[in-house]
Amino acid sequence: METTIVELNEWVIKLPKKLEVFSEAAASSRPAPKKWSPKEIVGHLCDSAIHNLQRFINVQHEEILLS
């Protein structure tokens, strides 16, 4: 688990630097009509992370129902 936390922290630092090399046009450009742009991919990952965080928080506060 600690390895995962360390790796996530590294990506939090690395990702903004990797994204800085994209111009607005490159970040918004779709490689094909039904493919996502880099900006859409990052947006989707952020959206998923927010929803998953909410799920983790909710699970911690749910009552455990024993059958």
Side-chain angles (χ1 to χ4, degrees):
M1 183 64 134
E2 284 195 31
T3 302
T4 302
I5 294 169
V6 169
E7 289 176 9
L8 285 171
N9 284 332
E10 288 175 3
W11 273 108
V12 167
I13 294 167
K14 289 179 186 177
L15 188 60
K17 293 174 184 173
K18 289 185 175 284
L19 295 176
E20 287 175 358
V21 301
F22 285 96
S23 66
E24 179 63 30
S28 300
S29 178
R30 290 181 165 194
K34 293 187 178 187
K35 298 288 183 178
W36 288 5
S37 70
K39 186 189 264 188
E40 289 171 317
I41 293 169
V42 171
H44 171 72
L45 292 173
C46 291
D47 189 53
S48 293
I50 290 168
H51 287 286
N52 287 330
L53 177 60
Q54 187 63 51
R55 287 184 187 132
F56 294 138
I57 291 169
N58 289 343
V59 164
Q60 293 177 37
H61 296 285
E62 287 181 359
E63 285 187 32
I64 298 174
L65 301 176
L66 301 175
S67 323

